Amino acid sequence: MQCNAETRKGRLSAEAPLRGGKKTKHGKASTTTYQVTLLVDAEFGTPGAVVVKNGNRHDQFFLRLVQLELAEDRRVHFECNSWVYPNKKTNADRLFFINTSYLPDKTPEALRLLREEELRSLRGNGRGERKDWERIYDYDNYNDLGNPDKDDHVRPVLGGTRTHPYPRRCRTGRALSQTDGMTETRKHKINLDFYIPPDERFSPGKLAEFLTLAVQAVTHFVIPEARSLFQGDVTNFRSLDQLRKDLYGRPPQPAVDGMVMDKLKSSVTSPKTYKHVSKMVKETPVMFKLPQVIQHDNEAWKSDEEFAREMLAGLNPVVIKRLEAFPPVGVGGRRSSITAAHIEHQLEGATVETAMGQKRLYILDHHDYLMPYLRRINTLSVCVYASRTLLFLKDDGALKPVAIELSLPNDGSGGGGGEISRIFLPASQGTDAHLWQLAKAHVSVNDSGYHQLISHWLLTHATVEPFIIATRRQLSAMHPIHKLLDPHLKDNMQINTLARSILLSAGGILEMTMYPGKYAMEMSSAIYSHWRFTDQSLPNDLIKRGVASKDPRAPGGVSLHIEDYPYAVDGLDVWLAIEGWVRSYCEHFYHTDAAVAGDAELQAWWDDVRRVGHGDRQGDPACWLELDTVAHLAETLSTLIWIASALHAAVNFGQYGYAGYPANRPTRCRRFVPLPGSPEMTQLEADPERFFLEMVPDRFTTTLGLALIEVLSNHTSDEVYLGQRATSTWTDDGEVLQLLDRFRDTLRQVEKTVTQRNKDPRLKNRRGPVTVPYTLLFPDVGNVAGQKKGITGQGIPNSVSI
């Protein structure tokens, strides 16, 4: 790290070519190890960076690491993990820094200029179409979802306007449509060749594994149903027994379909990847097991207790709120139609006022955000309500639903807006019981759409991507905060790109299976307009939803009002572990608040996130903390890591367990709840199960959605879990490694506590009538990458990687 006295730049050794590599193994990956000798003079000093040139005319290679053996048994390590493309393409050498962390003003002089130059190259100039070998991180709007050349595929550009605010995505620089000059064109319906900076792409092994899962799911579920539909066979399941038999009773079989493989071959740019996928597909028989929710009991999912329990411990436990006004009041002051007379006989002797004062009334509210879209959504061959569900916290700690309100816009002759609402109350027999089950199904439809579109996609995938772009653009790889965040940024950009291409685009799977249809992404933009980063920390989220209150004496600074709330209870343990690790890490590098405020790279990063990446939310001062203290930095980073790891795990990996049984979590409805005296009511009374199956999605839509969540619920074999690092050489700081060990130990204690809670029979919400233990926030620290994969229903990966 010595400077040249004349140029003030770092001194360079002579070049050394790579020859005679030795074939080795790194895990399952085949690698080649080279040994070279670099000659330097005695005054050269400790190397701080290494320059790598790829002289091959065509092929890139993945550089795992460089390790220099110095005199006196000293070693200098360079953690690379990056693709190196031929110099002929890049016109530049690759630079890798030593694995020592430096704040900008503490960087050795010989490395400062290199550090600045590297960041400038990563930011690019904002122009031109990206090439595969370019490492450039820039922002763009969501202008690639629609196709303006097809009338039914026109979609608004999201981001950059007050009308449609949205987080930014990575700029690809693809050619723009000639129609409006704003929308990026797509080469194929399925795109696997969108530009992503090379180091953000899936590893070849993970891509092959992901594609194999997709091929298996499509072949096993979707192709038979598509052929059946084409042949004019029955479009509905005739009974729930038939549904279970047809979806989960098929014998194991190789998932090979010529049409699917041909489509994949045209979409995959790498022949090697296609060959790998083809081999895996042929060698892996497919049989989808029963989802957890019906493994022990085919009927328990129907119970009111399970319906309510899943709001606390299911796949979307982040929406339920405490009721703070009765009757509920919507936007514009419009009151709900639910009255005290509807519910007071169900409150264990309490009045509404008493129950609210005791913090025992709660609401699952899918009303205000949905009502403005209902007229348009219900022109799409679906029948959807806006809903409010009131719940009462019983003496035994479980919730029970006490009323459901289903509302539609008033389109009567009177006009002038307004709503038409119907109230449904719990019932156990007769027609009222059938109507109650249908009302619960409509609530589940609302919740399923909100879960996939908001809780999962928007609040974890989409909102994290701008942080990734800003980190690469503004924080050097030598920066300690870059090193802290790096494992939590892995693979997000690749999966988001695939989502925009296959799931979220016009006519994509989400529009085909979820009730908002073509208005899904537009509706998510409206919800994002109220998003605040500060609300995303678990304690702040629980307080905002009224399910907890501030309490400095309690763990996490909050006291829960629902003591048996598995997501919140386990989540607070995980949050405290993350917060403790992050705080100690920050305090190790920043000894004063002034050091945080004076860190030029850190402040540039935060400015990039707020002003550009989430620029549509920069006008809300409550949206962000100022990075002016160590405490604010630690809270900000803890929140980001929580979102990318634990929050994503809680809303993603339970999908197959609960929604894998479509009757439990239908995604759209084709019929409204019948009115008294109507022909539909006669049909319901004659055959309630048939009416239910004719109301929820048809066979093809059901199987398409099931194929999607089967893929999303899988843990891939290269997953690196919270508390783990891909290598032990990511830093040379021994004290930091000790802090990480302490973090892992804390997470292991969380695992023991979760296991004990799940065994406690007094905690009714831990398992419920369906006997499914709550493990979605079980860290699984001991699960080493490559050891365990599949649908496990537990484990917190470091990043939003699927």
Side-chain angles (χ1 to χ4, degrees), residues 192 203-217 219 254-257 260-265 267-284:
L192 299 175
S203 67
K206 176 161 184 170
L207 179 60
E209 194 174 320
F210 177 83
L211 294 175
T212 299
L213 288 171
V215 168
Q216 291 174 329
T219 301
V256 180
D257 184 272
V260 175
M261 297 307 294
D262 288 345
K263 190 72 173 176
L264 180 67
K265 191 172 186 178
S267 302
V268 176
T269 56
S270 167
K272 186 176 180 180
T273 298
Y274 174 78
K275 186 177 180 181
H276 190 184
V277 173
S278 182
K279 183 174 184 291
M280 291 173 70
V281 166
K282 291 176 182 177
E283 292 178 351
T284 311

Side-chain angles (χ1 to χ4, degrees), residues 374-386:
L374 274 187
R375 283 188 176 89
R376 286 178 286 169
I377 288 173
N378 283 335
T379 65
L380 304 177
S381 300
V382 295
C383 300
V384 176
Y385 298 96

Side-chain angles (χ1 to χ4, degrees), residues 463 466-467 528 531-535 606 609-611 613-627 632 636:
T463 58
F467 287 92
Y528 174 71
W531 175 87
R532 287 176 172 171
F533 181 73
T534 49
D535 290 339
W606 198 225
V609 168
R610 295 183 299 175
R611 185 178 55 82
H614 281 285
D616 296 338
R617 299 295 297 128
Q618 64 179 318
D620 182 355
C623 193
W624 311 98
L625 291 173
E626 292 295 330
L627 289 195
H632 281 181
T636 295

Side-chain angles (χ1 to χ4, degrees), residues 126 138 150 153 180 192 227 230 259 325 375 377 394 397 399 419 455 489 492 573 618 649 694 733:
D138 204 355
K150 294 179 66 175
H153 282 188
D180 60 0
L192 299 175
R227 288 175 177 158
F230 180 76
M259 181 181 67
R375 283 188 176 89
I377 288 173
K394 300 190 297 179
L399 287 173
E419 300 174 8
S455 302
L489 313 180
N492 173 287
D573 285 347
Q618 64 179 318
E694 290 178 352
D733 191 322

Side-chain angles (χ1 to χ4, degrees), residues 323 347 350-362 392:
L323 187 67
L347 305 185
T351 64
V352 169
E353 291 75 14
T354 301
M356 289 180 63
Q358 296 172 343
K359 299 179 175 59
R360 297 179 70 180
L361 278 177
Y362 293 83
F392 176 70

Side-chain angles (χ1 to χ4, degrees), residues 432-447:
D432 287 344
H434 303 325
L435 291 173
W436 176 243
Q437 285 297 133
L438 297 185
K440 289 196 295 183
H442 274 278
V443 171
S444 295
V445 166
N446 287 170
D447 201 58

Side-chain angles (χ1 to χ4, degrees), residues 641-655:
I641 291 171
W642 162 262
I643 295 169
S645 59
L647 177 59
H648 179 260
V651 299
N652 182 70
F653 293 108
Q655 292 193 72

